[in-house]
Amino acid sequence: MNDERAIAAGLARKFEGCSLKPYLCPAGYWTIGWGNRALANGAAVTAHTPVITQAYADALLNSTIAALQIKLRQMVKVPLSAKQEGALLDFQYNLGTAALSGSTLLRLLNARQYSAAADQLLFWNHMHQNGRLVVSPGLTRRRHAEWLLFNGLSSPARPPVPAPSPTNSTETLNAASLARAKELA
């Protein structure tokens, strides 16, 4: 496994935890292993998905990140450090390629605005719960860890409060609660 994938897998393990039997994640999706919503054969995880082994969970995490890395490298047009790529792979693992591909984060990154792109990570700390978009303390901690890693910083550093982006309503919504969420972190 390369450095970028090892970094992403480490973050995923830290924030996802591992369950060898299917469970509903906080956002309401059937999940298994290290937060996978699909099995190696592409089948969606359901309540009836059989229990998996630890070796399968680990292999599924690694193969998923390897597949995401191919997609990430097709989208990103600028050089990245191993830490930057690892942080983006974890973001992509957690939120999906579609979220990254249409994001202000990717647009800023490809414009070589690395710092502004990193700050965009912090906007993605919401999840749907009972039909509403709410701040997730877990996602706030995860985005902060990705931000630190992307910027090559260590844990005591505090991220800035980025200005809301008018191009993405989710990012605009997140701006108001970003400061509140960082107080909890």
Side-chain angles (χ1 to χ4, degrees):
M1 181 184 315
N2 67 17
D3 289 346
E4 298 86 355
R5 288 185 276 184
I7 290 167
L11 278 176
R13 283 186 180 98
K14 177 180 177 180
F15 288 102
E16 295 288 347
C18 187
S19 176
L20 303 180
K21 61 183 183 177
Y23 66 96
L24 279 174
C25 75
Y29 297 107
W30 282 104
T31 311
I32 202 162
W34 296 102
N36 279 88
R37 291 175 43 197
L39 300 173
N41 65 4
V45 175
T46 69
H48 305 292
T49 298
V51 173
I52 62 174
T53 66
Q54 186 66 54
Y56 183 91
D58 294 342
L60 185 58
L61 171 65
N62 293 332
S63 66
T64 301
I65 290 174
L68 292 173
Q69 187 177 40
I70 293 167
K71 294 174 184 176
L72 179 66
R73 288 180 173 181
Q74 291 170 345
M75 291 186 292
V76 175
K77 308 299 182 199
V78 296
L80 295 174
S81 71
K83 289 180 179 182
Q84 289 170 328
E85 188 169 339
L88 292 174
L89 282 169
D90 182 65
F91 176 88
Q92 187 182 9
Y93 183 82
N94 181 233
L95 295 172
T97 299
L100 181 60
S101 70
S103 69
T104 301
L105 186 163
L106 182 63
R107 182 180 53 79
L108 290 168
L109 181 62
N110 283 332
R112 295 183 180 273
Q113 296 180 32
Y114 289 90
S115 180
D119 291 349
Q120 288 293 311
L121 290 166
L122 303 170
F123 284 117
W124 295 82
N125 67 338
H126 288 74
M127 66 180 195
H128 289 280
Q129 195 172 58
N130 300 324
R132 296 179 351 160
L133 202 56
V134 297
V135 171
S136 163
L139 288 177
T140 299
R141 286 189 297 276
R142 189 173 192 163
R143 298 291 93 86
H144 183 237
E146 291 164 349
W147 181 87
L148 287 168
L149 183 62
F150 189 94
N151 286 304
L153 301 172
S154 60
S155 138
R158 300 294 292 174
V161 177
S165 168
T167 61
N168 185 315
S169 61
T170 302
E171 292 169 1
T172 301
L173 172 63
N174 286 340
S177 55
L178 183 60
R180 287 192 314 265
K182 280 195 281 184
E183 290 172 10
L184 299 174

